[in-house]
Amino acid sequence: MKNSEQLYKALSERILILDGAMGTMLQRYKFEEEDYRGDRFKDWEHPVKGNNDLLSLTQPQAIEEVHKKYLEAGADIIETNTFSGTTIAMADYHMEDLVYELNYESAKIARKVCDEFIVQNPDKPRFVAGSIGPTNRTASLSPDVNDPGYRAITFEELRVAYKQQCEALLDGGSDILLVETIFDTLNAKAALFAIDEIQDERGIKIPIMVSGTITDASGRTLSGQTAEAFLISVSHLNLLSVGFNCALGANQLTPYLETLAHNSEFHVSAYPNAGLPNAFGKYDETPEDMAGQIKEYVEKGLINIIGGCCGTTPDHIKAIADLVAQYPPRKLNEFV
C-alpha cells in the first residue's frame, strides 16, 4: 500500500485525528425519498430513504462536502460512506447488486477530497479509511429467543460479503480498512479473514483498524466479551490499531481504553459518541464538553488515533484536534 509508510510515520509523531459522524451531518440536508433515489433510481420498486450509502451515487456532492468539512476541521483520516456496504445490509433495500459500485465510488469520493487537501498542504498527509460496518446480523447470537441454536448468518456468508466490500474499497483508493462498531467479534473475524485473503492474493500489506463497541455499563460487547477478551480475539493479525467507538460517551469509554492501552502492542483508537442520547435520540454534548473529557485520554497517554461517532460534527473534531495537538501519542508496548 503506497501510503502506508507515511501513515506509520505520522502515527509515530503525533496523535492522528479521525473524522466525525457522517449520518449526523447528512441529517442536516433533510433528504427525502426522491433525493435518495435521484434520477437513476426514481422507479426503484422499494423505499430507499435512510440508505445513506446510496447517497454516494445519487448525492455525491453532499458526501464530498461532509468529507471536506472534516478535513478542514483537522481530520487526518476520513471514513468512506460505506457503513452498510455489504450485500447483507443492502438486502434491506434489494440493492445487493450495487455493493461493489457503492463501495468503489464512495472510496473514490473520499480519495479525491483527500488528494485535493494533500496538494494544498503536502506536509500533512490525509488518509482514506474504508468503513466496514458490522452488518445487521450476528454470527454468535440467535435472533429468536425460542430457538437459541438458530443463526441468521454463517461465517462463510459474512466472509464472502466482506471480501467483496473490501476489494471495492481498496480498488477505489482506500489506504486503510476499518472494521468498526463490532458488537460480535465473530463477524469481525470473518471480515479479518477476508482481508487476510486479499493480502495474500494481491501480495500487499493492508493497514487494518479494528474498533469494537461496548454496548452498556456491563463493559461488554453485545456478544458478551470484555474489553480484554475482545482484544485477545482480534490480535492474531498484525493490526494498525485496535480501539472502541460508538455506544458510549468519552467519559464512559475511559476504563476500556485503559485496558487496551496497557495490554495491546498495536496503536489504540477511540471515537466515542457526543455523550449519551437524550430522550429524543439527540446528542447534546458540546465540542468543548467532549474535548474536556478526551483530555483524560491524552493526559493518561491512552490513544494514538481519536475521532468522533454519533452526534459529532466538524466543530467537535476541531475542538478535539486543537486539544490533542498539545500532547504526544501513546507509546507502543513491546511484549516479549
Side-chain angles (χ1 to χ4, degrees), residues 203-214:
I204 57 174
K205 172 75 176 71
I206 303 166
I208 306 166
M209 295 176 66
V210 169
S211 185
T213 187
I214 299 293

Side-chain angles (χ1 to χ4, degrees), residues 103-272:
N103 285 279
Y104 179 78
E105 292 300 329
S106 294
K108 269 184 67 178
I109 293 168
R111 175 82 273 148
K112 172 178 173 279
V113 179
C114 269
D115 289 346
E116 287 172 1
F117 274 75
I118 292 168
V119 168
Q120 293 169 22
N121 185 0
D123 294 330
K124 185 177 169 67
R126 312 292 182 116
F127 306 97
V128 176
S131 169
I132 302 160
T135 83
N136 47 10
R137 301 193 190 177
T138 166
S140 293
L141 302 171
S142 172
D144 183 354
V145 293
N146 297 311
D147 187 0
Y150 172 70
R151 296 293 180 268
I153 194 83
T154 67
F155 184 93
E156 179 61 11
E157 287 168 331
L158 286 163
R159 181 196 69 80
V160 170
Y162 281 130
K163 189 172 183 182
Q164 180 188 24
Q165 180 179 27
C166 292
E167 287 179 328
L169 288 169
L170 292 170
D171 293 347
S174 297
D175 303 300
I176 301 162
L177 291 179
L178 168 55
V179 183
E180 64 170 323
T181 322
I182 299 162
F183 58 79
D184 180 351
T185 311
L186 192 55
N187 286 39
K189 280 173 135 357
L192 294 173
F193 191 93
I195 295 168
D196 208 25
E197 277 190 321
I198 296 168
Q199 291 188 128
D200 287 343
E201 290 166 6
R202 299 192 178 193
I204 57 174
K205 172 75 176 71
I206 303 166
I208 306 166
M209 295 176 66
V210 169
S211 185
T213 187
I214 299 293
T215 50
D216 56 36
S218 71
R220 294 174 182 266
T221 65
L222 188 65
S223 54
Q225 285 189 311
T226 61
E228 191 167 12
F230 167 73
L231 172 63
I232 292 166
S233 295
V234 298
S235 291
H236 57 290
L237 279 184
N238 183 21
L239 304 174
L240 174 71
S241 69
V242 64
F244 289 116
N245 73 289
C246 202
L248 303 176
N251 270 351
Q252 294 91 351
L253 208 54
T254 305
Y256 314 117
L257 290 175
E258 287 178 322
T259 297
L260 296 185
H262 297 152
N263 294 289
S264 175
E265 60 192 299
F266 310 125
H267 299 95
V268 171
S269 71
Y271 48 116

